[in-house]
Amino acid sequence: MYVLIRPAGASNMPSQRIHSSRLNLLRTLFCLLTVVVTASLAGADAFGQGPAERNGRRTASQKPEIMRWRVVPKGAQKTPRHQASTNARPTSRPHRRPDADTGKPTEPLNVAVAQAEYHTEAFADDSVVYAPPPRSFEPSACDDMGPYCDSLMPSSGCGNAQCTSCDRRNSRTSFSRLVGRAEYLLWWTSGLDTPPLATTSPVGTGQDQAGVLGQLGTSVLFGDNEYNDGSRPGGRYTIGLWDDDCQSRGWEFSYLHLGNETTSFSASNANTGILARPFFNETTNAQDARLIAFPGVVDGSLNIDMTSKFQSAEALYRWTAQRSKCGRMEYLLGYRFAELDDGITIAESTLSLAGPTAGTSFDLLDQFDSKNTFHGGQFGIACQWQPNRCWSIDLIGKLALGATQRQADVTGRTLVSAVGNIENPAGLLTQGSNIGSYSSDNFTTITEFGVTLNRHFSRSLTANFGYTFLYWNDVARAGDQIDLNVNTSQIPPGVLVGAARPAFAFRSTDFWAQGLRFGLELQF
């Protein structure tokens, strides 16, 4: 059979004959094309559903099907753990959640695909949920506050879901909860003030004027200056324990100490023709001096030692108050302890060469010790700014409010060697009028400011370099407790007549410490 086909608008065209077998072939191809299109549309509508849903046989008691896939490097054979279905999405495309009403995909969830395992869960409402990978998953560039905090768990509040160059790495970017830091300190402290303790005069000066303050030619060998104000080494050791994976709340314990700083002075008749200890004589109401070395009168030596030591400890609770893409601010609240110890020892040994005491030796000791102990509450603010994954800057300010217990001990001794040894509980600047132990409690504050530059080599290793300034008000230093006024009538075996001098009275000053820090931090 033949069929005549005329195209529309071509009435004048010659007729064409097509054999029925060819027409049958066209019909067959059209039917196959229709089947393929229909099957494709049906598969797209059923995406995310299990076999039971696609067949319309799912019941309320049935559980959704779990499909597990393993993502492997390019070029490797991709083998699913279960039989792959035709509706599986390509792993290179963004993960989207289809809308239940419109069927249109929503915005991608910004989940990075890495060499890790994930799975999809199919539900009746045509939604697809992608579960987070295991903890070995490498976080995306947006995960500034820790793995999964931004891209994989946006509802956790750990950080920003937006991604910039600042988010590549924050200094607290891992699930590490234990942090240890050790720092070497090179600090300077306020000096220890003392009155004039040793003087000299040119050879030929009269015995009554030798070493006396205010006399022509008298010069101060030691004292009337600040001591122990040079640089000294020390250390600061910190342990931190975070309460959560995002490192937003945690405890910090630290201990700081500075090495003992000492200053010594020594002189004798061997290197100084005239050596004396100056004081104000309350009996004569004039400047006076005790001779340690004077040609033909007395030979002797004088040794003065000063020590100073400082240490502090803190226990703080830290919590994040605010964070941004490139930084964070934390509040600090806790307890602070501090201790400052000073000591001054003045020892002299003389041998009388003339007069009624010729041949008699005298050993005198004056000792002044002070100790300041602080206990109080502390609060502060710490800020960190990190422009990139390798460098960050920390700023910290802390204020401690509490009580300082000031304690001072004044002791003296004189050992006279003549026919027998006689020991008296007094020296020159330590007499019965001021010898003893004294204490007082005052409300004081300790303020600390610091800036630190951090170099992050890895998530677990950071090197830092910084500067710290610390200020402590109203403390008692040993040198300030020395009274140069002496009533010589009470020098043993004498009896006090007149004013009780030297006298003790707490004299306060301020203490500061500042310097550089070099350290390493490890996260475990």
Side-chain angles (χ1 to χ4, degrees):
M1 182 180 76
Y2 295 90
V3 179
L4 179 63
I5 299 178
R6 293 178 181 273
S11 58
N12 297 328
M13 292 182 60
S15 61
Q16 298 182 12
R17 296 181 177 180
I18 302 177
H19 195 272
S20 61
S21 61
R22 294 181 181 181
L23 181 59
N24 293 335
L25 178 61
L26 290 175
R27 289 176 178 174
T28 303
L29 293 176
F30 178 76
C31 292
L32 291 175
L33 180 61
T34 302
V35 172
V36 171
V37 172
T38 303
S40 300
L41 294 176
D45 292 338
F47 178 79
Q49 299 180 357
E53 288 76 16
R54 289 193 295 271
N55 296 331
R57 298 189 303 272
R58 177 174 177 178
T59 63
S61 61
Q62 288 178 313
K63 295 183 179 180
E65 180 186 36
I66 304 299
M67 296 174 291
R68 300 184 180 274
W69 297 78
R70 181 180 302 277
V71 181
V72 296
K74 288 184 178 181
Q77 182 178 1
K78 301 180 180 180
T79 304
R81 290 194 174 184
H82 299 283
Q83 183 63 32
S85 61
T86 59
N87 65 337
R89 293 191 177 191
T91 59
S92 59
R93 298 180 58 187
H95 300 317
R96 299 169 181 259
R97 182 190 301 271
D99 187 88
D101 298 328
T102 65
K104 297 181 179 181
T106 59
E107 291 300 319
L109 296 179
N110 193 26
V111 180
V113 179
Q115 295 182 16
E117 186 179 80
Y118 71 96
H119 69 270
T120 63
E121 298 182 1
F123 294 93
D125 60 356
D126 295 336
S127 63
V128 178
V129 177
Y130 290 85
R135 288 199 172 189
S136 61
F137 180 75
E138 179 70 18
S140 69
C142 295
D143 292 323
D144 58 326
M145 303 310 297
Y148 338 123
C149 283
D150 295 329
S151 60
L152 295 179
M153 294 195 297
S155 62
S156 65
C158 294
N160 257 310
Q162 303 298 324
C163 187
T164 69
S165 61
C166 297
D167 295 326
R168 186 58 186 170
R169 187 188 187 278
N170 189 280
S171 63
R172 308 202 192 299
T173 58
S174 67
F175 279 104
S176 301
R177 294 202 176 190
L178 182 62
V179 180
R181 182 168 58 252
E183 296 171 293
Y184 172 81
L185 308 181
L186 183 61
W187 282 22
W188 291 259
T189 64
S190 56
L192 187 61
D193 288 317
T194 66
L197 299 178
T199 56
T200 187
S201 297
V203 176
T205 302
Q207 183 176 347
D208 294 337
Q209 291 79 36
V212 177
L213 293 174
Q215 295 294 324
L216 184 63
T218 299
S219 60
V220 178
L221 293 178
F222 188 84
D224 198 23
N225 204 343
E226 279 194 354
Y227 299 93
N228 291 352
D229 56 351
S231 63
R232 67 173 91 175
R236 191 169 200 165
Y237 315 99
T238 305
I239 294 179
L241 183 62
W242 295 103
D243 291 340
D244 63 336
D245 289 338
C246 292
Q247 297 186 345
S248 60
R249 301 179 306 275
W251 291 93
E252 180 179 282
F253 307 92
S254 65
Y255 173 72
L256 178 153
H257 74 92
L258 297 180
N260 293 351
E261 186 168 8
T262 61
T263 300
S264 299
F265 169 82
S266 181
S268 66
N269 59 285
N271 49 37
T272 304
I274 296 178
L275 180 62
R277 296 179 60 188
F279 65 94
F280 183 85
N281 195 326
E282 287 284 341
T283 304
T284 62
N285 197 30
Q287 293 288 346
D288 204 344
R290 173 177 171 82
L291 294 176
I292 305 299
F294 192 88
V297 177
V298 60
D299 285 341
S301 62
L302 177 64
N303 297 282
I304 303 174
D305 295 307
M306 293 183 176
T307 61
S308 181
K309 182 177 68 173
F310 174 75
Q311 61 179 345
S312 178
E314 300 171 83
L316 298 174
Y317 186 73
R318 307 174 65 119
W319 72 95
T320 301
Q322 184 178 0
R323 60 167 55 91
S324 65
K325 300 175 185 177
C326 302
R328 59 192 283 160
M329 182 177 73
E330 296 175 338
Y331 289 148
L332 315 175
L333 183 65
Y335 161 80
R336 179 156 203 159
F337 160 83
E339 186 176 83
L340 174 64
D341 296 338
D342 293 322
I344 299 178
T345 302
I346 308 171
E348 67 169 79
S349 179
T350 60
L351 176 63
S352 178
L353 302 178
T357 59
T360 303
S361 63
F362 299 86
D363 295 321
L364 274 69
L365 176 69
D366 292 331
Q367 187 164 346
F368 302 87
D369 296 311
S370 66
K371 183 176 183 179
N372 301 270
T373 305
F374 175 88
H375 298 276
Q378 182 170 249
F379 63 92
I381 296 177
C383 301
Q384 182 184 78
W385 178 65
Q386 183 165 2
N388 56 62
R389 66 183 305 172
C390 295
W391 297 94
S392 67
I393 296 177
D394 294 339
L395 298 175
I396 190 169
K398 294 181 283 188
L399 176 64
L401 309 174
T404 295
Q405 183 183 49
R406 304 179 301 177
Q407 182 175 347
D409 296 311
V410 180
T411 57
R413 185 188 74 243
T414 298
L415 181 62
V416 181
S417 300
V419 178
N421 294 330
I422 302 175
E423 183 173 345
N424 297 314
L428 174 62
L429 304 178
T430 55
Q431 299 292 329
S433 54
N434 68 335
I435 287 178
S437 296
Y438 308 88
S439 64
S440 70
D441 294 324
N442 283 3
F443 175 80
T444 60
T445 63
I446 295 180
T447 306
E448 181 180 341
F449 297 98
V451 57
T452 306
L453 176 65
N454 301 297
R455 175 61 168 92
H456 305 281
F457 296 102
S458 67
R459 290 188 176 182
S460 59
L461 178 61
T462 300
N464 62 69
F465 168 76
Y467 167 82
T468 299
F469 177 83
L470 184 145
Y471 178 82
W472 185 0
N473 74 314
D474 203 12
V475 297
R477 308 297 301 270
D480 296 325
Q481 315 313 315
I482 299 177
D483 184 7
L484 288 184
N485 295 356
V486 178
N487 188 332
T488 57
S489 65
Q490 65 175 327
I491 295 179
V495 178
L496 176 63
V497 177
R501 303 297 293 271
F504 179 85
F506 271 114
R507 301 172 182 87
S508 298
T509 187
D510 299 333
F511 172 80
W512 56 261
Q514 62 174 335
L516 305 177
R517 296 178 282 109
F518 313 86
L520 291 175
E521 177 181 300
L522 291 175
Q523 295 194 26
F524 303 93

